[in-house]
Amino acid sequence: MAYLADLHLHSQYARGCSKSLTLGNLAQWAGFKGIELLAAGDFTHPARFQEISETLTESGDGLLDYGGVRFVLGTEVNCNAPQGGRSRRTHILAFAPSLDAAAQVNERLERFGRLESDGRPTLHMTPRDLLELLIEVDERCFVIPAHAWTPWFGVFGSKSGFDSLDECFEDLTDRVFAVETGLSGDPAMHWRVPDLDNVAIVSFSDAHSLPKMGRELTAFHGPKTYDGLVNALKSGGVAYTLEFFPELGKYHHSGHRKCGVRLSPEQVRERGTRCVQCDRQITLGVLERVEQLATREVSTKVDGAGFVSGANGRPPYKMLVPLDQVLSEALGKGVNTKTVQTAWNSLVAWMGNEAAVLLDASPEDIASVGGERVAEGIVRVRRGDVSISPGYDGEYGKVSVWP
């Protein structure tokens, strides 16, 4: 049976992140969300590494344990260095199979940046050189390019990204097993790019607070061990992914937020890449960047459970709206209000976890706890019967479950 994993998380030591992102709280919320494997997050930060060492117990299989919740040593770093004649800023997820290996990685990375400055440190090295350093420490270390299409920090981003994995990782490209979709993209967009045919397409939350955990997840086949995870990434062990609707992401469309200008790829072709209001350069979004690199179209189909699959045999995916957003609209109250939080708690307690509510619970069971309108909203989300105003230039999209 496949297990759900969220391998892109942050800690209380990362800029712009909640102070509640302790390991104990992550473990508790994993239960609420239905997640069985988490990234420990920000292990490069000295205080976080100490917390990991004192709080988690190594299980002997490359993972760590906290009260039955499994963790893998994972972190996100910002590689900031010139490459190919350009300045590049690329966010990379890095993973290690033991506390000893992670400690050695941290010791070596201190030469390239101030690890204590941020849970997501800026390292003055290329992604290729980061990967080389990791595998010199331990052959089992691996990387995943984070939110691959995000304009500012994605490996394919429009601002400082690359046109291929080879251009980024050079002679070590065959050691890159997966790329992360990011909130503004979905797997079908990646299927259009032949450069990604031989890597796994995975999705994680990039959570900066506890409630954001699990907004994107990947289900893996195989043993819940470090080597099992690596084998799943390398050998087709991704069962499916659960996705944010990509239109809800902050960079799905192109545009200029200051002037309120949002453009689809068709409109970019018609109007160009300068703001029609102030004539400044717009931020080219994920959809536009995919259009630039894609060399084929893909056909998709949706099954009765709402999973999207393609003709290429890649793992299917399903797009969801977070439960608190559905409840907010169904109940006519803000996401952070007591009314919505009480309803969320009741449904999660009754059904076991949030994933079960969104994916598996019957409309009748949902209605018995949350009411008919909540049940209707979740059914509408399962069908994809929602309206979305797409995000652009750092502005999240807005979803309407009821038009």
Side-chain angles (χ1 to χ4, degrees):
M1 183 175 179
Y3 62 89
L4 290 173
D6 191 348
L7 305 185
H8 186 174
L9 297 164
H10 288 288
S11 72
Q12 66 271 40
Y13 303 104
R15 291 177 186 171
C17 292
S18 169
K19 299 303 180 185
S20 298
L21 289 167
T22 64
L23 292 166
N25 286 341
L26 288 176
Q28 181 183 37
W29 276 75
F32 297 156
K33 296 283 186 172
I35 305 168
E36 297 183 58
L37 178 62
L38 297 172
D42 300 346
F43 75 67
T44 50
H45 193 280
R48 181 61 159 194
F49 186 76
Q50 181 177 353
E51 182 190 4
I52 292 169
S53 302
E54 295 175 351
T55 305
L56 304 184
T57 303
E58 290 193 281
S59 303
D61 56 9
L63 302 181
L64 301 97
D65 183 83
Y66 182 97
V69 177
R70 310 304 302 280
F71 286 84
V72 62
L73 286 162
T75 191
E76 182 182 21
V77 301
N78 172 28
C79 291
N80 190 338
Q83 189 174 353
R86 292 178 55 192
S87 176
R88 313 277 188 172
R89 294 184 295 171
T90 313
H91 283 190
I92 302 291
L93 303 178
F95 298 88
S98 68
L99 287 170
D100 180 63
Q104 292 184 56
V105 168
N106 290 348
E107 183 178 356
R108 294 196 183 195
L109 289 181
E110 287 176 347
R111 292 175 290 163
F112 300 94
R114 294 177 57 244
L115 301 187
E116 73 279 4
S117 66
D118 188 4
R120 185 198 305 103
T122 293
L123 304 176
H124 299 289
M125 63 192 311
T126 67
R128 183 258 173 220
D129 290 343
L130 169 68
L131 178 53
E132 181 178 52
L133 181 151
L134 289 167
I135 59 181
E136 284 177 353
V137 170
D138 191 307
E139 277 283 334
R140 294 189 294 163
C141 290
F142 67 95
V143 300
I144 298 176
H147 40 70
W149 299 90
T150 301
W152 299 101
F153 299 107
V155 67
F156 301 125
S158 61
K159 292 294 185 181
S160 62
F162 302 84
D163 288 344
S164 69
L165 291 179
D166 278 337
E167 186 183 0
C168 178
F169 291 98
E170 301 173 352
D171 57 315
L172 297 180
T173 302
D174 63 348
R175 296 296 302 260
V176 180
F177 316 132
V179 298
E180 183 190 33
T181 60
L183 301 181
S184 297
D186 64 29
M189 295 161 70
H190 294 68
W191 298 343
R192 299 182 57 202
V193 181
D195 188 48
L196 302 178
D197 282 351
N198 296 315
V199 298
I201 308 301
V202 294
S203 299
F204 308 118
S205 71
D206 191 6
H208 290 202
S209 66
L210 294 168
K212 300 299 184 186
M213 288 173 59
R215 58 184 172 179
E216 292 204 327
L217 294 167
T218 298
F220 291 104
H221 290 303
K224 201 186 308 172
T225 65
Y226 186 89
D227 289 339
L229 173 64
V230 173
N231 289 335
L233 292 170
K234 293 170 65 174
S235 306
V238 174
Y240 58 87
T241 60
L242 300 177
E243 307 280 335
F244 215 52
F245 279 88
E247 296 90 344
L248 292 175
K250 293 195 292 185
Y251 295 101
H252 187 68
H253 272 190
S254 303
H256 186 206
R257 179 172 51 170
K258 185 175 181 180
C259 293
V261 173
R262 176 178 57 208
L263 302 172
S264 67
E266 294 76 17
Q267 291 170 316
V268 171
R269 285 195 291 272
E270 293 172 1
R271 305 180 188 183
T273 60
R274 305 198 73 84
C275 178
V276 296
Q277 299 292 335
C278 69
D279 200 41
R280 292 184 179 180
Q281 190 72 29
I282 63 173
T283 299
L284 296 179
V286 168
L287 205 54
E288 174 64 25
R289 186 63 174 146
V290 171
E291 290 293 333
Q292 292 177 358
L293 297 186
T295 60
R296 65 189 176 205
E297 297 296 326
V298 295
S299 59
T300 61
K301 59 182 179 181
V302 182
D303 67 18
F307 279 88
V308 181
S309 59
N312 53 8
R314 301 299 290 266
Y317 65 94
K318 184 176 180 63
M319 291 182 288
L320 298 172
V321 174
L323 179 58
D324 57 0
Q325 293 188 33
V326 179
L327 292 170
S328 175
E329 190 170 346
L331 303 175
K333 300 290 184 179
V335 169
N336 296 318
T337 61
K338 184 176 180 180
T339 299
V340 168
Q341 293 303 309
T342 299
W344 188 91
N345 289 332
S346 297
L347 282 166
V348 168
W350 182 263
M351 306 302 171
N353 57 68
E354 183 180 48
V357 176
L358 293 172
L359 293 173
D360 304 321
S362 70
E364 294 76 18
D365 283 344
I366 296 170
S368 70
V369 179
E372 294 287 346
R373 186 165 172 82
V374 171
E376 178 190 350
I378 291 173
V379 169
R380 292 178 68 89
V381 170
R382 289 175 180 175
R383 295 198 307 255
D385 189 11
V386 299
S387 299
I388 302 176
S389 176
Y392 69 103
D393 194 22
E395 182 81 18
Y396 277 112
K398 295 178 175 60
V399 64
S400 295
V401 179
W402 287 270

